[in-house]
Amino acid sequence: MDYKDSLLLPNTKFPMRGNLPQNEPKRYELWDENKVYDRMKDNRKGKASFTLHDGPPYANGHIHIGHALNKILKDIIVKYHYFNGKSVRYVPGWDCHGLPIEQKVEEKIGSTKKKELPKSKIRELCRAHASRFIDIQRDEFKKLGVTGDWDNPYLTMDFKFEANIYRELCAIAKQGLLVQRSKPVYWSWAAQTALAEAEVEYEDKTSPSIFVAFKHEKLDASVIIWTTTPWTLPANTGIALNGEEEYVLTSDKFIVARKLYNSLVEQEVISGEIVESVNPKELEGTHAINPLNGRESKIILGEHVEMDAGTGAVHTAPGHGEDDYKVGLRYGLDVLMPVDAEGKYDETIVREKLFNDTDKYLGVHVFKANTMILEELGEALLKHVDIRHSYPHCWRTHKPIIFRATKQWFISIDDEYGEQNKTLRQNALDVVNNLTFYPEWGRNRLKSMLEGRPDWCISRQRDWGVPIAFFRNKKTDEIIFDEKVLNYTAMIFEQKGCDAWYDLEISELLYPGSGLNPEDLEKTMDILDVWFDSGSTQNAVLRSRNYDAGTFPADMYLEGSDQHRGWFQSSLLTTLASSEIAPYKSILTHGFTVDEKGEKMSKSKGNVVAPEKVMKQYGSEILRLWVAMSDYQSDLKISDNILKQNAELYRKIRNTARFLLANVSDLEEIVAIDKMGPLDKWVLNKAKKTFDEIEAAFSIYEYSKGLNKLNNFLVVDLSGIYLDVCKDRLYCDDKNDIHRIASQSAMAIILKKLISTIACILTYTMDELIEYAPSFIKGEAKDIFDFDRVELPEVESNLNEEILLLAKEKFSEAIDTLKKEKVIKSTLELEIYTTSKDILDLERVEAEDWFLVSSITSEAQEDVLASFEIEDVKFTVARAKDAKCPRCWKFTSKSEEELCSRCEEVLN
């Protein structure tokens, strides 16, 4: 007779295969239609809050794998707090202004036509370009399963938003920290605009390394300078020595630092012996002659002169460098700036006679002029070699930049302000000491960048951005900082956008009761650094009440590690400058995405992994699992192999959850713990310890650590032991047998906890699971977003786990040969003899199930097939004495034709 129909086999409609690429988009659309994010807010009214403020991606182009990593990690963290019972807020946003968008528009219409168009038309085209990519990226982010306020995102080009960026600027001006001055800044001649420190990246460049002799006006000797920028020599007005170092005069009549003398001899720059020592303080205020143009170069002293390279005498052109500028201010050196916005020599070289033959250089790009200058130097050029070195480049155009003194707007870092009379730098460093950092090394990284940073240059000479909208009095050259005038401008921006600054006349923009004459005024026309836009989002999003964006300060800012010099800084500096408050309580940083070998991704290498491709092949759940399983605090490796491993882990989680679900299909209610057997209590005790460890890891956002613990529990303890040992009772016991119901109850409890724990990562899969789950698992929940946090009970287990696990392992080893030699097919053919109290104290059924044998006995056996010992207690293994039951296959029947007593009882 076939007893298969009498067995209570696992039963669920929850599919084994996820078919994620096909099924995810449908479910994500449903979430959208059902306004899941709004429901998340309603479900947690009055609860403790968690606000993650979104660092805005740039609205230009499709998303890449770095975007996917960033948004998924944010989503996992927001959902982690949600499923833990908090009221969460996540308003996604976009950076919409800036150079790359303007360049794309320029490419489309051509640079000639761009010059002919009014600013408002160019800005209209830029706005349209940004709008298009906001819609594209929003759709791409939703496909990653990211939940947020997608219907009301923040856009830095919205009119109200532009007004609030401007208001933040005015608040900083009110604090006295906004200054305009002529000072050397990073200048992108390719983009024709000033750059902030965060917009500069370092790439290799070949430059001429030269040693040049400047003849001293009184001494029969020359001071040697070293530079890698010959094009700055025409603007030289000083030579800096270190006042605390010793210098020497050589027999070939050169003055150099004693510490660098040997190095210069080795490099064959000089060959003479030391004649005498020279005190640099005695040279201070004297002059040497610039061999390029015969102009005087004042000898000055500066602490910035170091002794690790060069000659100890630093060529100083205050228009071309920060240190040069600072020391030049002290000594009253001229700030010469003979280079125009395109990086070419301008009329200044004629007016100031900076070359002997100025016609030759007029309109020549400075980098092209290097070779000409080397020829011009003649005998004064002592040595020239080309070197490959790290040099600042514009991060947008990827062209090398220059230092160029121009009139710019700065936020002062070192002027005292506010109630505590501290500087912006001091306030920022104080804040950094009190923040929480994930990982902790972020603290020192941000700190060292703040310690060394210059004033923040916030002005740009472009069209697409928020204007630095101030009126200047043409007669007095004063900027009008009247609060009513500024507020009126902000109000106009709120209604019409900041295009109004370009479209309206001064009389229309001016506050009517200001008492100012529009004829006396002119508009300032620079725009704000796009980092100021994103730095102001804390005001425009979290404090404006235009968005339901959560609390201020935000609980967390989360971005890539490059944002220590970018958004983390610009946000901190704007908020502290305007309000003396930090915008965030914690900072979490992730690394960059790299290929399997740890190499940077590039199209030329063919190692780019596009999110779209991953979604089509694997689905977003695998991408989410990759993010969670990666140690995101360093660089994250991704490749097809790595994604396959994550797909394997996903299958393991899905199939385990499915097996648990299938085995509780006929359970009616979860029974009390005291009705459970020792193995059920053991697995619940184990689960409690494991999930506590997982939650401890998740609470500090170490998801990979938690998931590795989960994987180990699922593979080793749950699937490898417990689910295996329960199969007999699940399939063969009576539906209402307490052994069976107790084990089903333990499984239901673990399944609930599994859903609750990994809902933040595999939200789609857990939502799908809820759809098929019985009410004792999902309760009143319509979907995963209604699912409440599950706490595992504290369960005492009297099982001697160490002995039982060791016995199970030794038993497997002992019978391995029997299986290989085909003496037995199944362990159910066996019985175990032992005197072990730990085994015999278990209920007989529990002990048999633990080893998956037909009987455990304390009576001596004949025909022993195998044996092993644990702590001097002997275990022997022999064939079971009874016949195989045709229903449960245990060897507990009187004959192979009749059922064992258990199966007989179940069927009758």
Side-chain angles (χ1 to χ4, degrees):
M1 185 180 167
D2 185 1
Y3 291 102
K4 190 180 174 187
D5 291 344
S6 75
L7 298 174
L8 300 170
L9 294 173
N11 178 30
T12 180
K13 288 181 178 169
F14 178 64
M16 187 181 284
R17 291 175 65 82
N19 287 331
L20 301 175
Q22 291 75 38
N23 294 334
E24 283 170 345
K26 296 172 197 165
R27 191 168 292 260
Y28 291 158
E29 274 174 36
L30 266 177
W31 290 0
D32 231 13
E33 285 166 26
N34 296 336
K35 305 280 181 203
V36 152
Y37 179 73
D38 291 341
R39 194 143 49 85
M40 286 168 74
K41 293 199 286 191
D42 291 342
N43 285 351
R44 299 286 187 267
K45 271 186 182 156
K47 301 289 184 190
S49 69
F50 177 80
T51 299
L52 194 153
H53 179 44
D54 192 30
Y58 199 64
N60 189 27
H62 290 267
I63 69 166
H64 52 66
I65 201 73
H67 284 122
L69 153 67
N70 180 269
K71 276 288 191 283
I72 288 170
L73 187 54
K74 284 173 180 171
D75 189 60
I76 289 172
I77 287 173
V78 168
K79 282 179 181 157
Y80 163 75
H81 286 285
Y82 174 75
F83 288 117
N84 261 14
K86 285 191 176 169
S87 172
V88 297
R89 291 295 182 276
Y90 177 65
V91 175
W94 277 272
D95 243 339
C96 310
H97 298 121
L99 184 63
I101 290 170
E102 199 175 326
Q103 283 177 325
K104 286 286 180 196
V105 167
E106 199 170 312
E107 277 171 31
K108 237 181 267 179
I109 62 175
S111 53
T112 314
K113 193 179 176 190
K114 187 185 176 220
K115 282 170 188 166
E116 294 164 5
L117 288 174
K119 268 186 190 261
S120 52
K121 182 61 188 171
I122 294 161
R123 291 170 64 85
E124 184 191 314
L125 293 169
C126 289
R127 191 176 288 277
H129 180 91
S131 296
R132 178 173 164 248
F133 279 104
I134 286 161
D135 290 340
I136 287 169
Q137 288 188 9
R138 181 187 352 224
D139 192 44
E140 290 170 337
F141 285 138
K142 282 183 182 181
K143 285 176 183 169
L144 300 170
V146 177
T147 310
D149 201 349
W150 292 113
D151 293 339
N152 308 292
Y154 75 81
L155 312 176
T156 59
M157 65 181 182
D158 282 350
F159 292 175
K160 281 184 178 177
F161 208 106
E162 290 182 331
N164 279 325
I165 292 170
Y166 177 69
R167 286 189 180 108
E168 190 75 339
L169 177 71
C170 295
I172 293 168
K174 193 178 174 184
Q175 295 273 32
L177 292 179
L178 189 64
V179 291
Q180 193 182 28
R181 59 170 175 253
S182 188
K183 188 182 173 196
V185 289
Y186 294 111
W187 184 269
S188 172
W189 50 268
Q192 293 186 37
T193 183
L195 300 175
E197 201 183 13
E199 295 172 299
V200 173
E201 46 189 39
Y202 286 80
E203 295 174 29
D204 281 351
K205 176 182 181 291
T206 302
S207 298
S209 164
I210 62 170
F211 292 86
V212 182
F214 278 56
K215 182 86 179 67
H216 196 273
E217 62 178 356
K218 290 177 182 164
L219 303 174
D220 184 17
S222 296
V223 180
I224 306 175
I225 65 96
W226 169 67
T227 184
T228 54
T229 54
W231 61 268
T232 61
L233 285 172
N236 171 284
T237 52
I239 296 173
L241 310 179
N242 189 322
E244 304 307 311
E245 295 289 340
E246 185 191 348
Y247 286 73
V248 293
L249 173 66
T250 64
S251 57
D252 46 359
K253 299 188 174 170
F254 295 117
I255 296 170
V256 295
R258 183 182 281 277
K259 282 181 183 168
L260 291 158
Y261 167 78
N262 289 336
S263 154
L264 291 164
V265 172
E266 279 167 27
Q267 292 177 73
E268 297 179 352
V269 177
I270 56 177
S271 55
E273 293 169 1
I274 294 173
V275 174
E276 60 178 285
S277 182
V278 175
N279 182 349
K281 289 175 181 167
E282 289 175 9
L283 293 177
E284 186 183 15
T286 63
H287 294 88
I289 304 302
N290 186 335
L292 202 56
N293 51 26
R295 291 169 60 96
E296 287 187 338
S297 182
K298 192 179 205 175
I299 294 182
I300 58 178
L301 303 179
E303 290 171 7
H304 66 287
V305 180
E306 293 176 351
M307 296 291 135
D308 51 357
T311 65
V314 173
H315 147 57
T316 302
H320 288 307
E322 176 82 11
D323 286 333
D324 298 30
Y325 176 76
K326 282 180 183 167
V327 75
L329 273 182
R330 253 196 358 259
Y331 283 93
L333 299 184
D334 287 344
V335 179
L336 296 175
M337 181 35 58
V339 182
D340 68 13
E342 293 179 358
K344 295 171 181 175
Y345 287 122
D346 63 15
E347 288 290 339
T348 312
I349 63 168
V350 180
R351 191 175 64 249
E352 298 289 343
K353 301 186 177 65
L354 299 187
F355 289 103
N356 293 325
D357 180 359
T358 51
D359 291 350
K360 192 164 93 176
Y361 290 93
L362 200 57
V364 173
H365 194 283
V366 292
F367 291 151
K368 285 186 180 163
N370 275 338
T371 313
M372 296 155 67
I373 289 169
L374 298 187
E375 286 172 22
E376 197 111 344
L377 285 168
E379 289 179 5
L381 179 62
L382 303 178
K383 175 94 189 264
H384 162 222
V385 288
D386 284 338
I387 59 163
R388 193 94 180 132
H389 65 143
S390 181
Y391 186 87
H393 283 63
C394 169
W395 75 321
R396 293 298 189 192
T397 62
H398 297 288
K399 295 278 194 296
I401 60 170
I402 57 178
F403 283 92
R404 178 171 178 262
T406 54
K407 203 166 191 183
Q408 300 290 344
W409 289 96
F410 295 89
I411 292 174
S412 170
I413 298 292
D414 293 313
D415 284 336
E416 290 179 354
Y417 75 108
E419 289 176 14
Q420 294 173 26
N421 280 331
K422 284 185 171 178
T423 68
L424 191 48
R425 194 190 305 276
Q426 284 170 324
N427 276 337
L429 290 169
D430 288 348
V431 165
V432 170
N433 285 333
N434 297 314
L435 292 173
T436 306
F437 282 86
Y438 307 97
E440 174 56 34
W441 56 254
R443 188 187 311 280
N444 284 337
R445 186 179 162 94
L446 185 52
K447 206 171 173 179
S448 65
M449 288 181 171
L450 287 164
E451 280 168 347
R453 69 156 298 139
D455 287 345
W456 180 9
C457 175
I458 59 163
S459 46
R460 297 291 176 273
Q461 291 65 50
R462 303 294 303 188
D463 295 329
W464 179 227
V466 175
I468 299 177
F470 299 131
F471 296 112
R472 185 194 308 278
N473 187 318
K474 289 187 279 193
K475 291 178 178 175
T476 63
D477 202 36
E478 273 182 284
I479 297 288
I480 309 299
F481 282 131
D482 181 314
E483 207 164 326
K484 286 178 180 170
V485 172
L486 302 180
N487 287 343
Y488 192 72
T489 305
M491 187 189 74
I492 290 172
F493 286 2
E494 192 157 308
Q495 291 166 0
K496 303 178 186 231
C498 58
D499 289 0
W501 187 250
Y502 307 101
D503 298 343
L504 302 182
E505 296 297 325
I506 290 176
S507 55
E508 298 170 278
L509 290 162
L510 192 59
Y511 172 62
S514 69
L516 295 164
N517 180 0
E519 298 295 317
D520 296 341
L521 305 178
E522 63 183 7
K523 300 174 190 174
T524 60
M525 295 303 275
D526 286 346
I527 61 163
L528 279 165
D529 169 14
V530 76
W531 288 105
F532 190 94
D533 285 22
S534 58
S536 306
T537 57
Q538 41 69 29
N539 176 48
V541 179
L542 297 177
R543 294 196 275 172
S544 68
R545 299 188 183 170
N546 292 335
Y547 304 87
D548 181 11
T551 56
F552 176 84
D555 292 285
M556 179 178 282
Y557 273 34
L558 183 169
E559 298 304 323
S561 53
D562 56 336
Q563 296 307 324
H564 287 110
R565 63 196 290 258
W567 192 54
F568 297 146
Q569 263 197 73
S570 66
S571 299
L572 182 60
L573 295 176
T574 47
T575 328
L576 285 176
S578 66
S579 329
E580 296 181 78
I581 308 169
Y584 37 60
K585 295 175 188 172
S586 69
I587 284 178
L588 187 146
T589 42
H590 59 75
F592 298 109
T593 49
V594 292
D595 72 7
E596 205 167 7
K597 296 173 188 160
E599 289 179 10
K600 197 176 173 183
M601 291 188 193
S602 70
K603 285 178 185 171
S604 58
K605 282 183 190 168
N607 62 351
V608 172
V609 177
E612 193 185 7
K613 185 174 176 283
V614 177
M615 310 280 273
K616 278 181 184 163
Q617 194 176 345
Y618 295 101
S620 67
E621 291 285 77
I622 308 305
L623 206 49
R624 293 175 69 90
L625 200 53
W626 162 73
V627 171
M629 276 300 286
S630 300
D631 175 11
Y632 60 77
Q633 296 181 356
S634 51
D635 286 349
L636 292 83
K637 291 180 178 178
I638 186 167
S639 67
D640 205 43
N641 278 334
I642 290 165
L643 289 165
K644 275 179 189 157
Q645 288 163 22
N646 282 289
E648 209 44 60
L649 172 61
Y650 174 79
R651 268 193 288 277
K652 180 75 216 167
I653 294 170
R654 185 182 180 96
N655 288 340
T656 306
R658 184 177 182 274
F659 187 80
L660 291 169
L661 190 62
N663 277 300
V664 300
S665 59
D666 60 359
L667 181 66
E668 282 157 22
E669 62 173 331
I670 295 171
V671 300
I673 304 293
D674 58 9
K675 292 187 178 172
M676 292 186 181
L679 295 187
D680 307 321
K681 288 177 180 174
W682 166 77
V683 81
L684 284 173
N685 176 278
K686 196 88 179 159
K688 172 73 174 160
K689 283 177 188 163
T690 304
F691 280 102
D692 282 355
E693 287 174 359
I694 293 167
E695 281 177 354
F698 280 17
S699 72
I700 51 172
Y701 313 113
E702 291 183 357
Y703 296 104
S704 62
K705 194 174 172 185
L707 283 175
N708 280 317
K709 287 182 185 296
L710 176 67
N711 187 37
N712 188 61
F713 172 71
L714 295 182
V715 171
V716 178
D717 301 311
L718 196 62
S719 302
I721 299 176
Y722 184 70
L723 297 181
D724 215 21
V725 304
C726 287
K727 280 176 185 170
D728 176 70
R729 66 185 70 171
L730 290 169
Y731 303 167
C732 304
D733 277 2
D734 181 72
K735 178 180 181 291
N736 298 315
D737 188 290
I738 189 60
H739 273 98
R740 183 172 187 273
I741 294 173
S743 293
Q744 283 181 305
S745 297
M747 288 179 195
I749 290 168
I750 290 168
L751 179 57
K752 282 174 77 171
K753 184 62 182 174
L754 180 67
I755 295 168
S756 162
T757 303
I758 57 170
C760 61
I761 298 165
L762 300 177
T763 319
Y764 164 87
T765 305
M766 295 305 109
D767 192 40
E768 189 189 2
L769 200 60
I770 287 285
E771 199 181 306
Y772 294 93
S775 59
F776 59 80
I777 283 177
K778 68 181 175 188
E780 300 295 311
K782 291 195 287 289
D783 58 27
I784 192 64
F785 298 100
D786 292 338
F787 197 70
D788 290 326
R789 177 183 160 85
V790 173
E791 293 287 357
L792 283 177
E794 293 280 356
V795 179
E796 292 254 339
S797 170
N798 301 322
L799 222 62
N800 188 336
E801 182 185 304
E802 198 180 337
I803 294 292
L804 261 80
L805 287 173
L806 190 57
K808 194 171 174 67
E809 190 186 327
K810 293 260 191 183
F811 171 66
S812 292
E813 287 169 10
I815 63 158
D816 202 32
T817 317
L818 301 180
K819 281 185 172 177
K820 276 180 190 161
E821 292 173 359
K822 300 191 177 169
V823 176
I824 59 160
K825 284 182 186 172
S826 156
T827 55
L828 289 175
E829 296 170 41
L830 304 172
E831 67 170 25
I832 294 176
Y833 156 83
T834 185
T835 55
S836 166
K837 197 169 180 307
D838 293 305
I839 307 295
L840 297 174
D841 277 356
L842 283 173
E843 286 180 44
R844 182 184 58 78
V845 173
E846 303 277 314
E848 288 166 1
D849 283 353
W850 182 257
F851 293 100
L852 300 174
V853 293
S854 286
S855 107
I856 302 278
T857 177
S858 55
E859 294 168 22
Q861 298 161 312
E862 294 169 14
D863 303 328
V864 170
L865 297 173
S867 66
F868 56 94
E869 267 186 33
I870 295 171
E871 293 183 355
D872 300 330
V873 177
K874 194 158 185 176
F875 289 73
T876 58
V877 181
R879 283 191 187 279
K881 297 181 184 74
D882 296 326
K884 182 180 180 180
C885 169
R887 181 171 177 269
C888 69
W889 298 357
K890 275 193 171 184
F891 283 68
T892 47
S893 274
K894 287 175 183 159
S895 76
E896 290 195 1
E897 278 72 47
E898 57 186 301
L899 297 173
C900 67
S901 56
R902 186 263 307 257
C903 289
E904 184 73 45
E905 196 179 318
V906 168
L907 290 189
N908 295 320

